[in-house]
Amino acid sequence: MTTKAFVIGHPINHSRSPLIHGAWLAEHGIDGSYEAIDVAPADLPAFFERLRQGEFAGGNVTIPHKEAVFALCDAVDPLARKIGAVNTLVVRSGKVFGSNTDYLGFLGNLDAAMPGWSDGPDDAMVIGAGGAARAVLVALQRRNGGKVHILNRTLANAQALVDDIEGPFSAHSFEAFAELAPRNGIVINTTSIGMHGTRFDWLDFSLLPERTLVTDIVYVPLVTPLLAEAQAHGFRTVDGLGMLLHQAVPGFEAWFGVRPAVTPDLRARIEATLGH
C-alpha cells in the first residue's frame, strides 16, 4: 500500500518540499507519495479528521498553520512548544503527534557546511525576535557555549522572547551591535531582511572578529546582501538553503522508514528552482 505524506499551507504552491521528498522517494525506490495540499485555516479541523482516519502517515506544516495545529494535535513535543511552532506531523494509531525540526535543520546545515562551527565558547548574535528566531535559539542553547545576544528593531519584542525562552539569552536593540561585535563568533539573520533587495544599514563588519561565521535563514536570494557583504569582508558564510533540506530529514524517516541524505545533487536540484 502506498504510504502518503503531505505539506499543508495556505497558499502552498511556493513549497519546495514536494521536490525534496519526491527526490528521496525516487532515490530509495519507496512506494510513497508526498503532495502539497492547500488547506484554508477554517478547514484545518476537517483535515485533522482525515489524518486520524489513516489517510496519511504524516506531513509538514507551513505558514500560516504552524501555531494553529497545536490545539489540533493529540500530543506536541516539548521542544516544539518551546519554539512555539509545529512543522512536522506523524500519525500513529489514529493519533496525530506534532514536533518541530527547524532547529535540527539549522544545526544540520551548519554542521555540514562548516564542521566544528560550535567548538568555541564564543558569543552568538541572533538578528530578529520572530518565530524563526525561537528555533535558532533552541538550537544554539543545545550546542553553543557562549551567550546569545538577540538584536531586534523593537527592544521590547526581543525582551519578551528572552523572558519566554529560558537560557543564556539577552535582549538588545540594533544600536548595541558595536558594543557586542568584538566577542562574537556567529551572526545569524532570522528576519526577512535580505529579500527583495533589503539590507542592514547598521551592521559594521569591521567590528567583528575575523573568525566570525555569518549565516542567513533566508534562501531567496541564495546569497543575500548580508552574506555578500560578509564574503566581501572575508568572513565564512553559510546560506539558508541547507536548513530547508536538513529540516526535512526527520519527517521523511518517520513516515517512510528510511533516513535520507542531503546530497550535493539534491541541493543542486532545489537551487535550480530558486530563480522561479
Side-chain angles (χ1 to χ4, degrees):
M1 196 172 90
T2 301
T3 302
K4 296 169 63 179
F6 60 83
V7 56
I8 56 170
H10 184 70
I12 196 60
N13 56 359
H14 65 282
S15 176
R16 291 173 176 86
S17 293
L19 286 172
I20 297 169
H21 292 280
W24 285 335
L25 287 169
E27 179 186 342
H28 293 283
I30 294 170
D31 181 12
S33 68
Y34 184 101
E35 60 181 311
I37 305 173
D38 193 315
V39 177
D43 298 330
L44 262 183
F47 185 79
F48 265 68
E49 283 310 305
R50 291 171 62 186
L51 295 184
R52 291 190 175 91
Q53 289 164 16
E55 186 176 342
F56 299 95
N60 290 120
V61 182
T62 190
I63 295 168
H65 301 318
K66 285 188 172 189
E67 295 171 2
V69 297
F70 269 89
L72 297 169
C73 288
D74 296 291
V76 173
D77 177 81
L79 271 178
R81 290 200 179 279
K82 191 169 187 178
I83 293 168
V86 165
N87 77 337
T88 302
L89 302 173
V90 176
V91 183
R92 290 198 182 98
S93 305
K95 294 187 181 298
V96 184
F97 299 89
S99 63
N100 189 300
T101 64
D102 283 335
Y103 81 98
L104 293 171
F106 176 79
L107 294 174
N109 184 30
L110 291 184
D111 286 343
M114 206 65 62
W117 68 272
S118 60
D119 289 350
D122 296 318
D123 287 4
M125 186 179 292
V126 174
I127 303 171
R134 299 177 75 99
V136 170
L137 291 178
V138 166
L140 291 173
Q141 190 172 19
R142 300 198 139 212
R143 290 284 294 279
N144 199 61
K147 296 177 182 176
V148 181
H149 306 288
I150 303 157
L151 275 65
N152 197 54
R153 178 173 282 109
T154 306
L155 177 58
N157 292 352
Q159 189 59 54
L161 183 55
V162 169
D163 293 342
D164 196 40
I165 299 187
E166 294 179 8
F169 309 132
S170 60
H172 309 270
S173 62
F174 289 160
E175 287 75 22
F177 174 82
E179 175 196 345
L180 298 170
R183 55 181 183 271
N184 201 73
I186 180 170
V187 174
I188 305 131
N189 175 37
T190 70
T191 74
S192 60
I193 295 173
M195 301 176 75
H196 313 299
T198 54
R199 61 178 63 242
F200 297 100
D201 53 10
W202 50 266
L203 204 156
D204 183 354
F205 280 96
S206 68
L207 299 176
L208 292 166
E210 290 180 5
R211 66 183 182 282
T212 300
L213 170 63
V214 181
T215 185
D216 204 321
I217 67 165
V218 169
Y219 58 87
V220 180
L222 197 58
V223 179
T224 61
L226 176 71
L227 296 184
E229 194 173 346
Q231 290 168 4
H233 281 81
F235 290 103
R236 301 176 299 160
T237 63
V238 177
D239 63 59
L241 181 57
M243 182 172 172
L244 173 71
L245 301 174
H246 284 277
Q247 65 80 29
V249 170
F252 188 93
E253 183 177 22
W255 310 318
F256 300 112
V258 174
R259 187 168 182 84
V262 175
T263 61
D265 178 63
L266 175 65
R267 183 186 163 92
R269 290 174 69 172
I270 305 304
E271 256 189 62
T273 73
L274 297 184
H276 303 90

